[in-house]
Amino acid sequence: MIYTMHKEALLARSLKSKGTPTLLGGQLPINVINNSQYIPPLTTGDQVTEKYVADDLPSVDHAIHTALSDKNKTILLVGPEGSGKTTALEKLVVDWAKGEHLQNVSYIFQFQFRELNSLDGMLSLETFMSHHHSHFSPESMCQVLQKPESLLFVFDELDQYKHSLDPSVHTLCSDPRQLASVSCLVASLLHGTLLTGAAFLVASRPTGCLQFLSGSRVDLLGFLKPQRKAFVNGFFTDPAIANRALMNMEKTLGFYDFCTSPRFCWTVCSIYKSLMDADERLPETLTQVCVSIMVHLIQVLSLNEARSRDLVSALGKMASHCFLDQRSGCTKEEIISFGFQQFLTSQSSADAFLRLDGDLESDGCVFSFHSQVMQEFLLAAAFFLDKSTSESMKEMLEKHEGHAKFLDVYLSGLSEPNQRRPLETLLGEFDSDRILDFKSWLKSSSQETLEGCYKEKHYRCFRRLHQSQNESLVKEIITPSARIGISYGDVGLQDCVALNYVFMCLGEMEQLNLYCAKDLTEEKAEMLAPAMALSQKIILLQSFLRPGSVPHLASALSKGRTKELDLSHSHLGDASFKLLCTGLRDCKLLKLKLAVCRLTAACCGDLVSVLTSGTSQLCVLELMYNELGDQGLTQLCQALRSPHCKLQELQLQTCQLTAASMEVLSTALCSGQSDLRKLTLTYNTIGESGVDLLSRSLQHPLCKLQSLELFDCQLTDACCASLAEALKSEHCCLLELDLSVNDLGQEGALLLCEALSRPGCPLEKLGLTRCELTQLVYEVLGSLLRSGTSRLKSLSVAMSSVGDQGAKHLWDAVAHPSCLLEDLNVEMIHLTDACVGDLCAAVRASKTLRSLDLKNNLLTNASVPALVQLMQESHNMQELNLRYNDFCEEAFNMLDQCDKINY
């Protein structure tokens, strides 16, 4: 009998909920429930982090029921203003009272924290409960409280509670009959000393009070796009009108965090309805939305121009006071000091903008803003209207920095005549001096920001420009010199919208740099697609692209002017790459970087289709560190044999290749169709047999290869004979050869030197780092460089233990007039100070040497003066690398004197 009576009483109390819907305050929860308009907000929390992903988040109802079924005794429901906490709690209670959910709970008791603020005196828990739920007699309440494990307490609006929940400031009680203050009773309940075993559901905005409570936290996200769509479709009866409203809402507002608020969705839909009923245009910016809300509220209040200005001025002063004091509300005395006295009537004009807690006639009542979005807008509007202060724009912004998130954005929007005009018809003209002051600040601060490299400041600048909707202003601020390197790093959806607007105003950009974009979702990519299409270069290095984002990138490539795309370290995968290829087949792309993209042989068929399409312009392809294997390379060779393939550079470092695929590669290089000029096979197990096959192609008259990198391919001197034969061939056009980190030894190196001595040998760059070279090899190389027949301009013979004596042959060659060397690398060959005299003499005598690498040798402070003087006097030398030698701290001051020395 008591059980049934309690359910009926809860339902009756819900149906009698006081209050009326307000544009900014939202609908009454019970109206939403009774009108079947309830859409469960989404949530996430510790208990669902691993189970759900962004596209499969639980509803708040599901999260609460799950937490309660897991026997969590305290559940903290946390979310920002208007996110649906109160409605969700009301729905839970109503459903229980109707017998639909949580029937394992015997009794639910519902409380509002702000209603508890005014309760004074000493009470027992039994008396307190009977007072709050008067349908219980003291005897029946005592009986109910004897089984706490069957009870659920629902507390709403913890952020409005004026008492502390810190257990250290209370003497917690455990007896329901013990007399205590209400604040002590509440603290004792929530800390588990009273009614041990009962369950508690506490809702709050993020607040410091939460630190004193432990339990299962459920963070309320509110509405994402699908829920907003359902809400708008339910709000408007006409599907065509609903679709128009939804499209505008998503385009104009959908990228802001506060659009997850069900209350804000209701506010926007209400304004859209009034605008469409009046056959007026829908807003295009957040500023215009807020202007429309303000215009609607002022028209409803029927205030004249002077009173309207006074109201906005008073609201602006209150908004500033709340932001600066980091408070959510103000006392009656405070708001009167702001100029509200004339608006505090029985039907207060302030009600449209403010929420009243308590009795208006009482001095203890508290006023707070329904919406922080409008709180910031009112602050901006009041600043442009109020001439009573001499505070400059810069001073005002600096004062509110860190408190008002959108203040500068609103000021930017309101500084444009077309956006503020509807307000000026009701409030009078904004102060022209203040608008000019803001414009001046906007230009100077933007230009200063874009000269720096802080991406957050860049995006802030773009958001202001987007809000202004002034194309000429964008072009004035973002000059050609400022367009390189902007938009660096991870992006949010709001950043994507602002960045895309800037790009569209400018018409083209040298590059879109999204390095390390941690989560490029479909929505972000869709928003950025026009900007991508306008960019000459797109950098997505170390970014994570969700599969849904790839089609938008592909579409941008096919429609745009992009010539270089860097997807290195993006872990793209075969499936996403297949989607990308739809855009690669018909685009202007010249260079594609796909290093470390988790590609396998399975993607190579699609790649071949792109390269042989007849429309692809791709000439540089980087595929290093992908598991292509011999099967993948064999497929790629089909493209190299096609007359439509324009590939000139192919990088295949660490692609798990072996000699098994070298024959088909060699055949492709000799086909007469391949335009390949540069081939990198570094870190693959090619071996001697693989090099023999490649060497044959180098001798073929139709092979166009000019650069071959075989760094660390497990080669020995056995491969050098075939390479030497290739270099001797009259048809060989190889200009660069890197054989570093292979065990060529003396015999192999001498075979190569013999080939290089052939008149007409084209090789200009040779890499022999860590190839087990000897002093004899250095002697032969020195002779070769002096011979007048060698075309070598770059030589790397690092990491060989030849010391000063071996290097002497190179210094003699460098000094010789026939030597053409421009770059010489002798890192880690055990050079000492004894060689510095010969080294300096050689460099002074050389007319070609520009760069010398002496890293990791045994030079000491004694050599530094001579080397510094050498670099200061030399006109040819551009760089001397002295890192990791045996220098002491005192040498660094001398080295600092020459900026051409790296140390």
Side-chain angles (χ1 to χ4, degrees):
M1 182 69 179
I2 298 175
Y3 175 73
T4 303
M5 180 182 66
H6 178 58
K7 285 191 169 186
E8 292 173 350
L10 280 186
L11 277 176
R13 188 165 67 175
S14 294
L15 293 172
K16 292 179 181 177
S17 295
K18 296 180 180 180
T20 56
T22 59
L23 184 62
L24 297 178
Q27 292 176 286
L28 293 178
I30 195 61
N31 292 347
V32 175
I33 296 167
N34 288 340
N35 297 333
S36 300
Q37 296 174 321
Y38 179 70
I39 298 172
L42 298 181
T43 180
T44 185
D46 294 339
Q47 76 279 15
V48 293
T49 299
E50 298 299 324
K51 185 176 178 182
Y52 295 92
V53 295
D55 297 326
D56 189 24
L57 292 166
S59 70
V60 61
D61 302 347
H62 175 87
I64 291 174
H65 290 164
T66 299
L68 288 171
S69 64
D70 289 343
K71 301 191 184 306
N72 287 291
K73 291 304 179 183
T74 302
I75 303 162
L76 307 176
L77 181 61
V78 184
E81 66 171 48
S83 56
K85 301 183 295 296
T86 298
T87 304
L89 295 186
E90 192 72 41
K91 182 72 163 55
L92 179 142
V93 172
V94 168
D95 286 351
W96 175 80
K98 290 181 176 180
E100 296 176 1
H101 293 296
L102 299 177
Q103 295 309 288
N104 59 319
V105 175
S106 297
Y107 296 92
I108 292 181
F109 297 107
Q110 195 175 9
F111 299 91
Q112 297 281 341
F113 270 109
R114 58 191 173 94
E115 293 178 359
L116 304 179
N117 288 332
S118 57
L119 296 180
D120 298 319
M122 304 292 283
L123 301 169
S124 68
L125 178 64
E126 292 175 353
T127 306
F128 167 68
M129 296 287 291
S130 298
H131 172 76
H132 199 78
H133 296 81
S134 56
H135 51 279
F136 282 96
S137 66
E139 294 78 13
S140 59
M141 180 60 74
C142 178
Q143 181 181 346
V144 167
L145 296 183
Q146 288 177 4
K147 296 181 179 179
E149 64 278 357
S150 66
L151 308 181
L152 171 62
F153 288 77
V154 176
F155 288 93
D156 194 13
E157 296 186 324
L158 172 62
D159 49 280
Q160 298 296 319
Y161 193 45
K162 70 179 184 181
H163 301 292
S164 174
L165 289 177
D166 183 352
S168 66
V169 303
H170 298 282
T171 303
L172 300 180
C173 56
S174 57
D175 185 351
R177 293 165 296 182
Q178 179 182 339
L179 296 180
S181 66
V182 172
S183 62
C184 181
L185 293 176
V186 171
S188 299
L189 283 170
L190 293 176
H191 289 296
T193 61
L194 258 182
L195 300 185
T196 303
F200 299 90
L201 177 55
V202 181
S204 176
R205 296 183 189 180
T207 177
C209 292
L210 291 168
Q211 66 179 306
F212 300 115
L213 297 180
S214 59
S216 178
R217 176 163 171 156
V218 175
D219 287 298
L220 202 58
L221 300 178
F223 287 172
L224 298 184
K225 194 170 183 178
Q227 289 72 39
R228 290 198 293 268
K229 181 177 181 181
F231 181 88
V232 173
N233 287 336
F235 188 95
F236 295 97
T237 55
D238 186 330
I241 292 176
N243 185 58
R244 180 189 169 199
L246 180 66
M247 289 181 64
N248 183 277
M249 183 177 179
E250 292 304 316
K251 177 184 175 184
T252 305
L253 301 168
F255 43 87
Y256 289 111
D257 292 342
F258 49 74
C259 285
T260 60
S261 164
R263 183 199 295 173
F264 186 75
C265 290
W266 184 81
T267 299
V268 172
C269 286
S270 301
I271 282 297
Y272 279 14
K273 184 178 186 306
S274 67
L275 292 173
M276 288 189 282
D277 288 347
D279 199 26
E280 295 182 21
R281 290 180 60 183
L282 294 181
E284 295 180 359
T285 66
L286 174 60
T287 299
Q288 289 178 16
V289 171
C290 293
V291 165
S292 297
I293 292 172
M294 279 275 289
V295 167
H296 177 83
L297 290 174
I298 291 172
Q299 288 175 337
V300 169
L301 294 173
S302 300
L303 300 177
N304 60 30
E305 180 179 305
R307 280 174 61 82
S308 296
R309 288 178 77 98
D310 289 344
L311 176 60
V312 173
S313 175
L315 288 166
K317 291 174 182 176
M318 177 180 170
S320 177
H321 180 78
C322 289
F323 279 130
L324 296 180
D325 279 11
Q326 299 185 50
R327 294 162 52 188
S328 59
C330 291
T331 65
K332 184 176 180 180
E333 180 182 1
E334 286 173 325
I335 70 165
I336 289 175
S337 71
F338 302 141
F340 272 105
Q341 182 63 56
Q342 60 180 314
F343 303 109
L344 297 182
T345 61
S346 56
Q347 290 190 334
S348 172
S349 301
D351 290 347
F353 297 94
L354 303 177
R355 166 180 166 172
L356 172 64
D357 289 324
D359 186 353
L360 180 62
E361 302 302 320
S362 167
D363 291 337
C365 64
V366 175
F367 293 83
S368 58
F369 285 93
H370 290 299
S371 163
Q372 186 170 330
V373 175
M374 285 302 296
Q375 181 181 349
E376 295 194 33
F377 180 79
L378 288 162
L379 176 57
F383 184 80
F384 278 144
L385 282 170
D386 189 2
K387 301 179 182 179
S388 63
T389 174
S390 60
E391 187 176 45
S392 72
M393 178 62 58
K394 185 177 180 181
E395 290 171 338
M396 194 270 281
L397 285 169
E398 288 177 349
K399 183 170 71 175
H400 291 91
E401 187 175 2
H403 303 295
K405 183 178 178 182
F406 291 96
L407 180 56
D408 57 335
V409 169
Y410 285 134
L411 290 168
S412 184
L414 289 173
S415 68
E416 294 298 324
N418 60 325
Q419 299 204 63
R420 69 175 182 266
R421 190 169 294 117
L423 263 185
E424 288 184 314
T425 61
L426 296 174
L427 302 175
E429 291 188 359
F430 284 19
D431 186 84
S432 58
D433 290 337
R434 293 207 156 180
I435 291 172
L436 288 175
D437 186 18
F438 175 79
K439 289 276 192 179
S440 175
W441 173 86
L442 177 62
K443 291 176 185 178
S444 61
S445 66
S446 297
Q447 289 164 354
E448 180 181 348
T449 291
L450 294 176
E451 289 174 0
C453 57
Y454 297 100
K455 72 180 182 73
E456 287 301 329
K457 291 185 177 181
H458 287 176
Y459 285 133
R460 191 82 206 175
C461 171
F462 300 155
R463 289 173 200 166
R464 296 183 198 118
L465 294 175
H466 170 244
Q467 204 64 208
S468 74
Q469 293 291 296
N470 186 332
E471 182 177 325
S472 61
L473 181 64
V474 174
K475 292 179 177 178
E476 181 182 352
I477 288 175
I478 305 183
T479 59
S481 62
R483 298 182 191 182
I484 301 174
I486 61 175
S487 65
Y488 177 84
D490 197 20
V491 287
L493 189 57
Q494 188 179 342
D495 302 322
C496 294
V497 173
L499 182 59
N500 188 68
Y501 172 76
V502 167
F503 273 44
M504 295 299 289
C505 288
L506 297 174
E508 65 175 340
M509 286 293 285
E510 183 169 330
Q511 69 177 22
L512 173 60
N513 188 345
L514 297 174
Y515 165 75
C516 210
K518 296 175 184 176
D519 188 13
L520 190 63
T521 62
E522 178 178 359
E523 203 168 8
K524 291 179 185 177
E526 182 180 10
M527 203 66 74
L528 279 174
M532 291 176 178
L534 291 170
S535 303
Q536 295 282 342
K537 180 178 180 180
I538 300 174
I539 301 174
L540 286 163
L541 173 68
Q542 293 188 21
S543 296
F544 174 67
L545 284 71
R546 291 193 177 270
S549 70
V550 179
H552 294 290
L553 173 59
S555 176
L557 292 173
S558 65
K559 297 174 183 177
R561 59 186 70 180
T562 307
K563 294 183 179 178
E564 182 175 342
L565 173 62
D566 188 351
L567 286 164
S568 301
H569 297 267
S570 65
H571 305 295
L572 196 63
D574 293 334
S576 290
F577 181 72
K578 186 179 186 69
L579 296 173
L580 182 65
C581 285
T582 60
L584 295 178
R585 290 188 181 91
D586 187 17
C587 67
K588 297 180 175 63
L589 210 62
L590 301 176
K591 188 172 185 178
L592 177 59
K593 297 183 177 183
L594 295 168
V596 199
C597 282
R598 294 185 180 174
L599 304 179
T600 70
C603 79
C604 291
D606 295 302
L607 191 49
V608 169
S609 176
V610 169
L611 294 170
T612 59
S613 63
T615 53
S616 172
Q617 305 295 312
L618 205 60
C619 56
V620 177
L621 178 60
E622 298 183 3
L623 289 166
M624 56 279 257
Y625 301 97
N626 288 293
E627 298 179 7
L628 304 183
D630 293 324
Q631 182 184 354
L633 179 55
T634 299
Q635 293 183 67
L636 287 178
C637 288
Q638 297 175 23
L640 296 179
R641 293 195 297 269
S642 168
H644 298 300
C645 179
K646 297 179 174 60
L647 214 55
Q648 295 183 13
E649 180 177 335
L650 180 59
Q651 297 199 23
L652 296 168
Q653 297 99 307
T654 318
C655 285
Q656 301 184 1
L657 307 179
T658 71
S661 55
M662 292 302 104
E663 184 170 2
V664 68
L665 175 58
S666 180
T667 301
L669 293 173
C670 302
S671 66
Q673 303 297 339
S674 173
D675 280 331
L676 206 63
R677 302 294 201 274
K678 181 173 182 178
L679 176 63
T680 303
L681 296 170
T682 293
Y683 298 123
N684 286 293
T685 313
I686 305 302
E688 286 79 12
S689 58
V691 172
D692 288 346
L693 290 166
L694 290 173
S695 297
R696 292 180 202 171
S697 64
L698 293 175
Q699 300 175 59
H700 198 282
L702 297 179
C703 178
K704 301 172 185 175
L705 206 61
Q706 295 178 353
S707 177
L708 178 61
E709 293 188 18
L710 298 171
F711 187 106
D712 196 5
C713 286
Q714 298 189 16
L715 308 181
T716 67
D717 59 347
C719 73
C720 292
S722 59
L723 279 172
E725 283 302 310
L727 292 171
K728 292 177 183 178
S729 169
E730 62 177 319
H731 300 298
C732 179
C733 54
L734 202 64
L735 301 176
E736 300 178 1
L737 177 62
D738 192 353
L739 295 165
S740 297
V741 195
N742 288 293
D743 295 332
L744 305 185
Q746 177 173 292
E747 296 305 316
L750 291 177
L751 284 172
L752 294 174
C753 289
E754 180 188 351
L756 290 173
S757 65
R758 177 188 68 83
C761 179
L763 207 64
E764 296 180 354
K765 183 176 181 179
L766 178 61
L768 294 173
T769 290
R770 220 214 72 182
C771 284
E772 307 299 328
L773 305 183
T774 63
Q775 288 195 30
L776 178 58
V777 173
Y778 276 68
E779 181 179 349
V780 173
L781 280 171
S783 177
L784 173 67
L785 292 168
R786 296 193 304 270
S787 67
T789 59
S790 170
R791 298 182 183 180
L792 279 179
K793 296 180 180 179
S794 177
L795 177 63
S796 178
V797 286
M799 300 185 189
S800 294
S801 303
V802 297
D804 295 339
Q805 188 174 353
K808 179 70 165 61
H809 301 292
L810 296 182
W811 306 141
D812 291 345
V814 167
H816 197 279
S818 297
C819 179
L820 304 178
L821 274 186
E822 297 176 1
D823 305 295
L824 177 60
N825 183 351
V826 286
E827 176 185 358
M828 201 183 293
I829 65 168
H830 297 187
L831 298 178
T832 70
D833 295 333
C835 79
V836 172
D838 292 333
L839 183 160
C840 291
V843 171
R844 286 191 173 93
S846 172
K847 294 192 171 41
T848 58
L849 197 67
R850 299 177 307 177
S851 173
L852 179 60
D853 193 335
L854 298 172
K855 290 198 304 287
N856 283 301
N857 279 292
L858 306 174
L859 304 177
T860 70
N861 288 13
S863 299
V864 170
L867 293 172
V868 169
Q869 184 179 0
L870 171 69
M871 292 303 291
Q872 288 175 333
E873 294 175 353
S874 175
H875 298 294
N876 293 329
M877 283 290 290
Q878 300 300 313
E879 181 181 11
L880 176 63
N881 197 328
L882 293 174
R883 291 179 179 174
Y884 315 123
N885 278 278
D886 291 338
F887 300 137
C888 298
E889 189 70 31
E890 61 193 63
F892 297 149
N893 291 331
M894 287 186 285
L895 292 169
D896 272 337
Q897 297 173 18
C898 184
D899 57 10
K900 294 190 289 184
I901 298 178
N902 295 324
Y903 64 92

